PDB file of all heavy atoms in Angstrom:
ATOM      1  N   VAL A 132       1.587 -33.099 -32.870  1.00  0.00           N
ATOM      2  CA  VAL A 132       0.223 -32.579 -32.795  1.00  0.00           C
ATOM      3  C   VAL A 132       0.255 -31.057 -32.663  1.00  0.00           C
ATOM      4  O   VAL A 132      -0.535 -30.353 -33.304  1.00  0.00           O
ATOM      5  CB  VAL A 132      -0.567 -33.232 -31.630  1.00  0.00           C
ATOM      6  CG1 VAL A 132      -1.901 -32.535 -31.407  1.00  0.00           C
ATOM      7  CG2 VAL A 132      -0.783 -34.717 -31.908  1.00  0.00           C
ATOM      8  N   ASP A 133       1.178 -30.541 -31.861  1.00  0.00           N
ATOM      9  CA  ASP A 133       1.292 -29.086 -31.717  1.00  0.00           C
ATOM     10  C   ASP A 133       1.663 -28.417 -33.037  1.00  0.00           C
ATOM     11  O   ASP A 133       1.134 -27.348 -33.365  1.00  0.00           O
ATOM     12  CB  ASP A 133       2.306 -28.710 -30.629  1.00  0.00           C
ATOM     13  CG  ASP A 133       1.777 -28.956 -29.223  1.00  0.00           C
ATOM     14  OD1 ASP A 133       0.532 -29.045 -29.061  1.00  0.00           O
ATOM     15  OD2 ASP A 133       2.599 -29.063 -28.298  1.00  0.00           O
ATOM     16  N   GLN A 134       2.554 -29.030 -33.809  1.00  0.00           N
ATOM     17  CA  GLN A 134       2.928 -28.459 -35.109  1.00  0.00           C
ATOM     18  C   GLN A 134       1.745 -28.489 -36.075  1.00  0.00           C
ATOM     19  O   GLN A 134       1.542 -27.549 -36.849  1.00  0.00           O
ATOM     20  CB  GLN A 134       4.115 -29.219 -35.703  1.00  0.00           C
ATOM     21  CG  GLN A 134       5.428 -28.947 -35.002  1.00  0.00           C
ATOM     22  CD  GLN A 134       6.531 -29.858 -35.487  1.00  0.00           C
ATOM     23  OE1 GLN A 134       6.365 -31.077 -35.568  1.00  0.00           O
ATOM     24  NE2 GLN A 134       7.675 -29.259 -35.826  1.00  0.00           N
ATOM     25  N   ILE A 135       0.966 -29.550 -36.024  1.00  0.00           N
ATOM     26  CA  ILE A 135      -0.231 -29.644 -36.864  1.00  0.00           C
ATOM     27  C   ILE A 135      -1.217 -28.547 -36.478  1.00  0.00           C
ATOM     28  O   ILE A 135      -1.730 -27.819 -37.338  1.00  0.00           O
ATOM     29  CB  ILE A 135      -0.890 -31.036 -36.749  1.00  0.00           C
ATOM     30  CG1 ILE A 135       0.022 -32.105 -37.351  1.00  0.00           C
ATOM     31  CG2 ILE A 135      -2.271 -31.044 -37.418  1.00  0.00           C
ATOM     32  CD1 ILE A 135      -0.414 -33.532 -37.081  1.00  0.00           C
ATOM     33  N   LYS A 136      -1.463 -28.402 -35.193  1.00  0.00           N
ATOM     34  CA  LYS A 136      -2.405 -27.372 -34.740  1.00  0.00           C
ATOM     35  C   LYS A 136      -1.919 -25.973 -35.114  1.00  0.00           C
ATOM     36  O   LYS A 136      -2.714 -25.113 -35.512  1.00  0.00           O
ATOM     37  CB  LYS A 136      -2.623 -27.476 -33.231  1.00  0.00           C
ATOM     38  CG  LYS A 136      -3.437 -28.691 -32.839  1.00  0.00           C
ATOM     39  CD  LYS A 136      -3.614 -28.763 -31.330  1.00  0.00           C
ATOM     40  CE  LYS A 136      -4.432 -29.960 -30.923  1.00  0.00           C
ATOM     41  NZ  LYS A 136      -4.601 -30.065 -29.460  1.00  0.00           N
ATOM     42  N   GLN A 137      -0.626 -25.743 -35.026  1.00  0.00           N
ATOM     43  CA  GLN A 137      -0.070 -24.438 -35.393  1.00  0.00           C
ATOM     44  C   GLN A 137      -0.243 -24.191 -36.895  1.00  0.00           C
ATOM     45  O   GLN A 137      -0.605 -23.092 -37.310  1.00  0.00           O
ATOM     46  CB  GLN A 137       1.398 -24.350 -35.009  1.00  0.00           C
ATOM     47  CG  GLN A 137       2.002 -22.984 -35.303  1.00  0.00           C
ATOM     48  CD  GLN A 137       3.455 -22.900 -34.858  1.00  0.00           C
ATOM     49  OE1 GLN A 137       4.049 -23.865 -34.387  1.00  0.00           O
ATOM     50  NE2 GLN A 137       4.033 -21.729 -35.000  1.00  0.00           N
ATOM     51  N   ALA A 138      -0.010 -25.213 -37.714  1.00  0.00           N
ATOM     52  CA  ALA A 138      -0.162 -25.065 -39.162  1.00  0.00           C
ATOM     53  C   ALA A 138      -1.604 -24.791 -39.561  1.00  0.00           C
ATOM     54  O   ALA A 138      -1.865 -24.117 -40.563  1.00  0.00           O
ATOM     55  CB  ALA A 138       0.349 -26.317 -39.877  1.00  0.00           C
ATOM     56  N   LEU A 139      -2.545 -25.291 -38.780  1.00  0.00           N
ATOM     57  CA  LEU A 139      -3.972 -25.120 -39.070  1.00  0.00           C
ATOM     58  C   LEU A 139      -4.600 -23.956 -38.313  1.00  0.00           C
ATOM     59  O   LEU A 139      -5.801 -23.728 -38.431  1.00  0.00           O
ATOM     60  CB  LEU A 139      -4.739 -26.400 -38.723  1.00  0.00           C
ATOM     61  CG  LEU A 139      -4.340 -27.660 -39.462  1.00  0.00           C
ATOM     62  CD1 LEU A 139      -5.165 -28.833 -38.972  1.00  0.00           C
ATOM     63  CD2 LEU A 139      -4.464 -27.487 -40.955  1.00  0.00           C
ATOM     64  N   ASP A 140      -3.793 -23.227 -37.575  1.00  0.00           N
ATOM     65  CA  ASP A 140      -4.309 -22.175 -36.698  1.00  0.00           C
ATOM     66  C   ASP A 140      -5.219 -21.180 -37.407  1.00  0.00           C
ATOM     67  O   ASP A 140      -6.215 -20.749 -36.847  1.00  0.00           O
ATOM     68  CB  ASP A 140      -3.148 -21.439 -36.019  1.00  0.00           C
ATOM     69  CG  ASP A 140      -3.627 -20.457 -34.969  1.00  0.00           C
ATOM     70  OD1 ASP A 140      -4.512 -20.832 -34.168  1.00  0.00           O
ATOM     71  OD2 ASP A 140      -3.137 -19.308 -34.969  1.00  0.00           O
ATOM     72  N   GLY A 141      -4.935 -20.813 -38.630  1.00  0.00           N
ATOM     73  CA  GLY A 141      -5.746 -19.831 -39.342  1.00  0.00           C
ATOM     74  C   GLY A 141      -6.865 -20.427 -40.164  1.00  0.00           C
ATOM     75  O   GLY A 141      -7.522 -19.719 -40.918  1.00  0.00           O
ATOM     76  N   ASN A 142      -7.103 -21.717 -40.033  1.00  0.00           N
ATOM     77  CA  ASN A 142      -8.165 -22.389 -40.785  1.00  0.00           C
ATOM     78  C   ASN A 142      -9.327 -22.691 -39.856  1.00  0.00           C
ATOM     79  O   ASN A 142      -9.148 -23.370 -38.851  1.00  0.00           O
ATOM     80  CB  ASN A 142      -7.648 -23.679 -41.416  1.00  0.00           C
ATOM     81  CG  ASN A 142      -6.610 -23.425 -42.466  1.00  0.00           C
ATOM     82  OD1 ASN A 142      -5.479 -23.053 -42.153  1.00  0.00           O
ATOM     83  ND2 ASN A 142      -6.967 -23.606 -43.713  1.00  0.00           N
ATOM     84  N   LEU A 143     -10.492 -22.212 -40.225  1.00  0.00           N
ATOM     85  CA  LEU A 143     -11.679 -22.409 -39.396  1.00  0.00           C
ATOM     86  C   LEU A 143     -12.526 -23.563 -39.902  1.00  0.00           C
ATOM     87  O   LEU A 143     -12.734 -23.703 -41.099  1.00  0.00           O
ATOM     88  CB  LEU A 143     -12.529 -21.138 -39.384  1.00  0.00           C
ATOM     89  CG  LEU A 143     -11.849 -19.876 -38.878  1.00  0.00           C
ATOM     90  CD1 LEU A 143     -12.811 -18.699 -38.963  1.00  0.00           C
ATOM     91  CD2 LEU A 143     -11.344 -20.059 -37.464  1.00  0.00           C
TER      92      LEU A 143
END
Side-chain angles (χ1 to χ4, degrees):
V132 171
D133 286 340
Q134 288 172 311
I135 293 170
K136 288 179 180 179
Q137 183 178 4
L139 300 178
D140 187 45
N142 294 72
L143 301 179

